[in-house]
Amino acid sequence: MTQGYFITFEGSECAGKSTHIKLLSKYFLDNGINCVVTREPGGTEIGEEIRQIVKHHAGKNPVADETELLLFAASRAQHMREVIIPALDGDAYVICDRFTDSTVAYQGYARGLDMNFIGTLNRFATIGRSPDLTIILDLTPEESLARRITRNENDRIEAEDISFHSKVREAFLRIASEEPQRVKIISSAGSIGSVHNEIVKTVKNAIASVPK
Ligand code: T5A
C-alpha cells in the first residue's frame, strides 16, 4: 500500500496545467511539503523519448492510433515503477501533468479505441494505483485554440481539428461526472491568480477529507 498523496492535472491543450502545477508546487514548498512534479508522457528517460515520438513524429507514415495508445501506456508503466510509486512510498506528494484520464479522453473518446481495453491497459500500467485527486482545468476548444494561436506552435495531437478537441473536452466532463469524489473541475478561463486560489482551496478540501 502506497502512502503520499497523488494529484493529477488534466484538461484540454493549453488549459494551463503547467502554469498551475508550477504555482501549486511552490505553494507546497512554501508550506514545507515535500513534492515531486512530473509529467506524461515523460517523467523518465524512456518516457521522454516516447514523448518525442507521440508529439513530434513527422515521418512519411503516420503513427497508428493503436501504436499511440501503446506508447502512452509504455511511458506510464515506466513512470509508475521508476518515479511515482517510489515517491509515494517515500511519503511525498506527487503532482503529475496528465495521466490515465488523458488516455480515456484522447485515445478512448476522441480516437474511438476500445474503452474496456484502455481500462485494462491503464490498470496494467499503473499497477492499479489511481490518483487521490484529479483536477480538470476546463477550457472550451475555442479558448484553447486562441491560447495556442498566441503561443504559435502546434504538435501532432494539438493539430487535430476542433471536433476532436470538443470530444476530448466532453470526455473530461463525463469522467468528472462519473467520479465526483476523485475528479474536480475548475474553469481555467479566469485570471491565473483566481484559478490558482480555486486550485489551492480544492486541494486543501481534498486533503482534509483523507481519513487520518
Ligand atoms: N496525451 C497525453 C494523450 O493523447 N494521451 C495520454 O495518455 C497522455 C498522457 C501531451 C499531449 O499528449 C496527449 C495530450 C497532449 O496532446 P503536452 O505538451 O503535455 O502534450 O500538452 P498539454 O498538456 O496540452 O500542455 P500545454 O503546455 O500545451 O498546455 P498546458 O500545460 O495546459 O498550459 P500552459 O500552462 O503551458 O499554458 C498555456 C498558455 O496559456 C496561458 C499560459 O501563460 C500559456 O501561455 N495561460 C493562461 N492565459 C490566460 N488565463 C489563464 N488562466 C491562463 N493559464 C495559462
Side-chain angles (χ1 to χ4, degrees):
M1 178 67 184
T2 56
Q3 309 294 308
Y5 194 80
F6 185 21
I7 303 173
T8 57
F9 276 71
E10 300 277 8
S12 313
E13 317 289 331
C14 279
K17 296 176 300 301
S18 316
T19 304
H20 288 291
I21 287 172
K22 217 174 279 170
L23 291 171
L24 182 63
S25 66
K26 183 176 180 316
Y27 169 84
F28 282 147
L29 203 68
D30 291 346
N31 285 277
I33 294 168
N34 177 23
C35 151
V36 171
V37 172
T38 188
R39 67 176 181 182
E40 291 205 354
T44 64
E45 245 174 55
I46 292 171
E48 292 299 324
E49 287 180 34
I50 293 174
R51 183 179 178 89
Q52 273 304 311
I53 303 172
V54 288
K55 279 178 70 87
H56 303 296
H57 174 76
K60 78 172 158 33
N61 296 314
V63 180
D65 293 349
E66 292 77 4
T67 308
E68 184 183 90
L69 168 64
L70 294 172
L71 285 169
F72 284 119
S75 169
R76 182 164 304 133
Q78 186 68 26
H79 196 202
M80 284 307 286
R81 287 153 183 82
E82 195 180 314
V83 176
I84 296 179
I85 297 280
L88 293 170
D89 281 344
D91 225 12
Y93 279 39
V94 175
I95 311 177
C96 187
D97 192 337
R98 295 196 182 276
F99 197 60
T100 46
D101 296 310
S102 279
T103 313
V104 172
Y106 283 80
Q107 282 65 52
Y109 283 97
R111 297 270 193 237
L113 295 178
D114 186 279
M115 213 55 106
N116 287 329
F117 178 64
I118 288 176
T120 304
L121 193 59
N122 275 342
R123 281 189 295 281
F124 177 71
T126 60
I127 325 172
R129 178 60 159 100
S130 305
D132 298 302
L133 170 67
T134 295
I135 293 175
I136 293 177
L137 292 179
D138 182 46
L139 205 59
T140 65
E142 291 76 16
E143 289 164 328
S144 159
L145 187 62
R147 286 191 193 170
R148 267 153 44 215
I149 288 169
T150 312
R151 199 169 59 172
N152 198 23
E153 57 179 61
N154 255 347
D155 66 34
R156 204 179 56 82
I157 297 177
E158 284 169 342
E160 292 286 349
D161 64 19
I162 199 110
S163 81
F164 178 92
H165 292 291
S166 298
K167 281 188 201 158
V168 168
R169 181 184 185 222
E170 280 162 28
F172 281 129
L173 297 179
R174 187 189 290 210
I175 291 168
S177 73
E178 286 169 356
E179 285 188 71
Q181 196 62 32
R182 170 179 71 88
V183 184
K184 309 292 176 195
I185 294 179
I186 294 178
S187 168
S188 178
S191 70
I192 292 177
S194 68
V195 175
H196 172 63
N197 290 341
E198 195 59 33
I199 290 172
V200 170
K201 200 165 83 187
T202 302
V203 169
K204 277 176 157 175
N205 285 342
I207 292 170
S209 71
V210 175
K212 300 274 181 270

